[in-house]
Amino acid sequence: MNKRPSRRDEILNALATMLESQPGARITTAKLAAEVGVSEAALYRHFPSKAKMFEGLIEFVEEAIFSRVTLIIKEETQSIAQLGNILQLLLGFTERNPGITRIFNGDALAGENERLRNRVVQFYDRLETQLKTILREAELREGLRTVITANSTANLLLSAAEGRIGQFVRSDFKRLPTEHWDEQWQLLSKTIFR
C-alpha cells in the first residue's frame, strides 16, 4: 500500500525541487504554492513562515547526516576510515540533493533570515567538531598523531569537502562533488597523520 506523503513533506519536496531547477531565482511563497498546487494560506497552515520551510529542510539534512555519522563511528574502528566515510557521506548527500545543497552552500539563503545562515554555520561547526573528536581519539586509541593540530586538520578536511560542494553549486550541478574525490581522499588521507 503506497502511503501518500504528508502535505508538509510535499511542500518541502517542492521547495527542494525549485531550489534545484531555478538556481539564482528567489523562491516566493506564491511560486511555491503554485508548484505544490495549493494556496499560500495552505502553505502557512503547515509552516508559519518561509524561514520555517527552509528550517524544515535544514532539520532533514541534520537528521540524515548526523544519524549516519553516529553509525559510521560505531561501525568503523579505524579513524582514517571514519573520516573518509563521513566526508564521502557529506559529498554523496549533497550530490543526491542539489536543491538542498544550495541552502548549505549559502546560495539559496541570500536575503533570507539571518537565523537560517546561523543554522547552516552550526551544522558545519558540528561536523567539524566531530572530525576533531575523531582525530583526537585516533591519538588515544590508535597512537596516530596529526601532522598539524587536530583543529587545523579537521578544518582542512571540511574545507576540501566544502570546496567540492561549492564547485557543484557554481557549475549548476554539473561538477559532481564526488568526481575525483576518491583520488583526492587518497592523497589527503596520506598527509593527515605522521
Side-chain angles (χ1 to χ4, degrees):
M1 175 157 124
N2 283 340
K3 185 179 174 188
R4 184 171 181 240
S6 71
R7 180 68 75 192
R8 185 179 197 284
D9 289 344
E10 283 181 37
I11 293 167
L12 293 177
N13 285 332
L15 177 57
T17 299
M18 290 176 75
L19 287 168
E20 178 180 353
S21 64
Q22 301 172 26
R26 183 150 169 81
I27 308 287
T28 65
T29 53
K31 290 178 187 175
L32 181 58
E35 180 79 16
V36 177
V38 299
S39 68
E40 284 185 73
L43 290 180
Y44 289 118
R45 279 195 288 276
H46 298 281
F47 295 96
S49 67
K50 188 169 68 164
K52 288 291 185 185
M53 295 175 206
F54 279 111
E55 281 186 14
L57 290 176
I58 292 169
E59 288 167 6
F60 165 73
V61 174
E62 289 172 337
E63 173 59 29
I65 295 292
F66 290 111
S67 64
R68 288 181 181 97
V69 165
T70 300
L71 285 174
I72 288 168
I73 291 169
K74 284 181 183 173
E75 293 173 359
E76 287 291 345
T77 56
Q78 293 189 325
S79 301
I80 202 75
Q82 291 174 344
L83 295 167
N85 288 346
I86 288 170
L87 294 172
Q88 180 67 46
L89 166 68
L90 177 64
L91 295 175
F93 182 89
T94 58
E95 189 172 305
R96 286 186 306 278
N97 298 281
I100 294 173
T101 299
R102 286 191 55 222
I103 295 171
F104 280 82
N105 176 260
D107 178 62
L109 298 180
E112 296 296 339
N113 190 306
E114 180 69 27
R115 183 177 76 245
L116 296 171
R117 285 185 292 286
N118 290 337
R119 285 286 300 270
V120 171
V121 168
Q122 287 174 344
F123 170 84
Y124 281 114
D125 286 349
R126 184 176 169 195
L127 195 56
E128 187 171 338
T129 297
Q130 190 63 65
L131 298 176
K132 288 177 200 175
T133 300
I134 292 168
L135 291 165
R136 289 184 180 122
E137 288 178 0
E139 184 172 358
L140 298 173
R141 285 192 339 247
E142 300 170 57
L144 299 172
R145 289 195 51 154
T146 54
V147 174
I148 56 178
T149 67
N151 289 355
S152 292
T153 303
N155 180 262
L156 173 66
L157 295 175
L158 190 56
S159 295
E162 284 187 76
R164 301 294 310 163
I165 293 166
Q167 288 177 338
F168 184 50
V169 173
R170 278 193 316 276
S171 71
D172 289 331
F173 314 121
K174 291 175 186 74
R175 289 192 76 177
L176 301 178
T178 58
E179 179 183 18
H180 308 299
W181 178 250
D182 289 339
E183 290 175 298
Q184 293 167 349
W185 175 243
Q186 287 303 313
L187 177 64
L188 278 172
S189 66
K190 290 176 185 171
T191 63
I192 295 173
F193 298 110
R194 298 172 197 233

